[in-house]
Amino acid sequence: MKKIAAGLVAGALLLAGTQVLGASSSLVGKAIQAEFTVNVYGKKLADPAIVIDGKSYAPVRAIGEIAGFKVSVDGKTISLDEKTESASFASSDRSPAVGPVPVVTPDPAVSITKSRIEVIDSKIDDAVDRILTASSQLKANPDNAELKLKLNQYKAEYADLLKQKDAELQK
């Protein structure tokens, strides 16, 4: 009897350990739920953005290079830095012309509107994530009425947020 009890305890410990391992935050081995085309400044990227667990991941190097950044990788760190033009000045005898830098005083109303739009954009991103997650869950269980209802609510929330953003942009 003691051997059986010891075997059950050992089995429970092994199963608990695998659950902890499965709960890690790494995306390695996770299933891709969707792929999206990415356009930067009207240019379509060759690599798609992917969705894993309701969050989208885009190809950093391609986006960074099109946006004009110097992209570098050091170990497990990706850096996006401004491209420097100093090399072109070093080859010539001329120094760059530097004039007065205009000081722009931001309009407080524009700043408030911009911050409202940023908040709405954040809510839109969250709504999209919930829609994608619910859609993928619904594919696995298409007869789940509660999930269908939630998906419709998320879509209605998304449409409402788009209307709010449009209203802010019209101001």
Side-chain angles (χ1 to χ4, degrees), residues 90-164:
S91 64
S92 69
D93 293 340
R94 294 179 287 154
S95 60
V98 177
V101 177
V103 176
V104 179
T105 306
D107 181 6
V110 172
S111 297
I112 292 171
T113 301
K114 184 178 178 182
S115 64
R116 286 182 185 156
I117 290 172
E118 288 172 353
V119 168
I120 293 170
D121 281 341
S122 174
K123 290 179 180 179
I124 287 173
D125 289 342
D126 291 341
V128 168
D129 288 344
R130 287 192 300 272
I131 288 170
L132 291 172
T133 301
S135 295
S136 67
Q137 291 173 347
L138 197 55
K139 285 180 184 177
N141 190 1
D143 297 330
N144 189 333
E146 182 181 331
L147 198 52
K148 288 179 183 178
L149 180 64
K150 281 185 179 180
L151 181 60
N152 288 333
Q153 289 173 343
Y154 297 151
K155 287 180 179 180
E157 178 186 349
Y158 175 76
D160 184 50
L161 289 167
L162 289 178
K163 288 178 186 174
Q164 289 178 21

